[in-house]
Amino acid sequence: LLLTPKNEFAGKAGAVTIGAGKTLVFSHAMVVGSGDLGTLTGPLWAARKVATGTVSGKVVDSEGKPIGGVRISAIAAGKPERTMTQFVSADDGNFGGAVPVGSFRFAGDAPGRTLVSDAKGTVEAGKAAAIGSVVYSLPGLLDIKVVDGGGNPSPAKVTVVCDGPCAVPQTSLHRDITFDKKPDNLDSDGDGKVDTAVFDIAFVPPSGLLQLPVPPGKYRVTLSRGPVYALWPAQAGPALNGFAVAVTAG
C-alpha cells in the first residue's frame, strides 16, 4: 500500500481513510481449527454468509475396513477443478462438514495406498448430503535395512522412483505441492522422453531401519549417503538402474 499512488489508494481491497479528528473502529474475527481444514472454512463461510450445506462420508479400504487420518479434499466440479476445503477422517473412517453449494467429488492421498474409487455428491443450501465411501487399496510397505561395508547399521537417503507412471500422481487438489513437489521430469528408460517421477525421498535413521509406506506398484530404489560413500546399487543414477521392487497390496 505504501507504493500505491494516492489516486488509486481508495480502490484497494481493505484500504481505509481516516479523516482529521475522526475515529475508525473495526473488528477482527479469528478462527482456530483442530488440524482439519474443514474446522476453519466452515466458520469462515458462515461469517461471510456463503450458502453451504453439510456432507458426511466414510473412508474405507477395499475390504470395507475404516481408515483414519486420511485427508479428503472436497473438489468442486469445473474446468479446472478446484479444492474448496479438506476433511480428516476419524478413527472410524467418518469425515464431514460444511461445503459451499455445488457439485463435488471427494478424494485424497492415503499413505501407502492407491485410490480405488472417489465419492460424489451435490450440496444444497442448508441441507445434509450423505456421499457414501471413498475407497482405497490395502496398504503397501517397503522394509528397508541399511548396513555399511562392515555390516554395521548406517543412516542413508532413500530415493524411490516410479517404474513408469506413478500409481499416485502428485496433485495440488490433494495437498500443497508449491514447495515440496518432487521431481516429475524423469526419463526411466533412457529414450529421452519424460515418463516417470520421484515418488518419495526419505531418510533412514542411524538404526539403519525404515518402514516406508508406498502404494502398490513397481519402483526403482536407490540408497545414498554423502560423497564419500558409493551409491547402491553401484550403477544407479537419478532415475535409471535403481533396485527394482514390486510392492503388493497388503
Side-chain angles (χ1 to χ4, degrees):
L1 290 176
L2 293 176
L3 300 178
T4 302
K6 185 176 181 180
N7 61 338
E8 298 178 9
F9 185 84
K12 290 289 185 180
V16 295
T17 302
I18 304 176
K22 302 293 183 179
T23 300
L24 175 68
V25 178
F26 67 93
S27 61
H28 175 77
M30 180 176 292
V31 177
V32 179
S34 64
D36 182 326
L37 183 59
T39 60
L40 291 175
T41 53
L44 287 173
W45 286 324
R48 294 178 178 179
K49 302 187 185 307
V50 175
T52 63
T54 59
V55 298
S56 60
K58 191 170 186 176
V59 180
V60 299
D61 64 20
S62 55
E63 295 180 344
K65 297 177 181 177
I67 309 173
V70 179
R71 295 186 181 278
I72 298 295
S73 297
I75 304 170
K79 295 184 178 180
E81 293 182 313
R82 182 184 178 190
T83 295
M84 299 301 295
T85 190
Q86 198 172 68
F87 306 107
V88 179
S89 62
D91 290 342
D92 61 4
N94 290 318
F95 69 90
V99 176
V101 171
S103 296
F104 294 84
R105 68 181 182 90
F106 298 84
D109 289 344
R113 303 173 187 263
T114 56
L115 179 67
V116 175
S117 62
D118 57 16
K120 295 180 175 64
T122 299
V123 179
E124 299 180 36
K127 295 185 178 181
I131 58 172
S133 296
V134 181
V135 184
Y136 290 90
S137 71
L138 297 179
L141 191 68
L142 274 180
D143 254 329
I144 299 169
K145 180 179 180 180
V146 182
V147 296
D148 61 21
N152 302 305
S154 173
K157 182 176 80 171
V158 180
T159 303
V160 181
V161 175
C162 302
D163 195 350
C166 288
V168 181
Q170 301 176 75
T171 171
S172 59
L173 293 174
H174 295 170
R175 65 182 180 87
D176 185 359
I177 58 174
T178 306
F179 299 108
D180 67 348
K181 187 175 182 180
K182 300 176 181 70
D184 59 358
N185 58 345
L186 304 182
D187 171 16
S188 67
D189 54 13
D191 66 356
K193 298 179 181 179
V194 172
D195 60 8
T196 192
V198 170
F199 174 76
D200 203 0
I201 298 173
F203 296 90
V204 180
S207 66
L209 302 174
L210 177 68
Q211 288 190 321
L212 185 64
V214 176
K218 294 182 178 180
Y219 301 90
R220 295 278 178 172
V221 179
T222 302
L223 299 177
S224 60
R225 187 190 169 185
V228 299
Y229 289 84
L231 290 174
W232 182 89
Q235 72 276 19
L240 297 172
N241 302 321
F243 184 74
V245 175
V247 177
T248 56

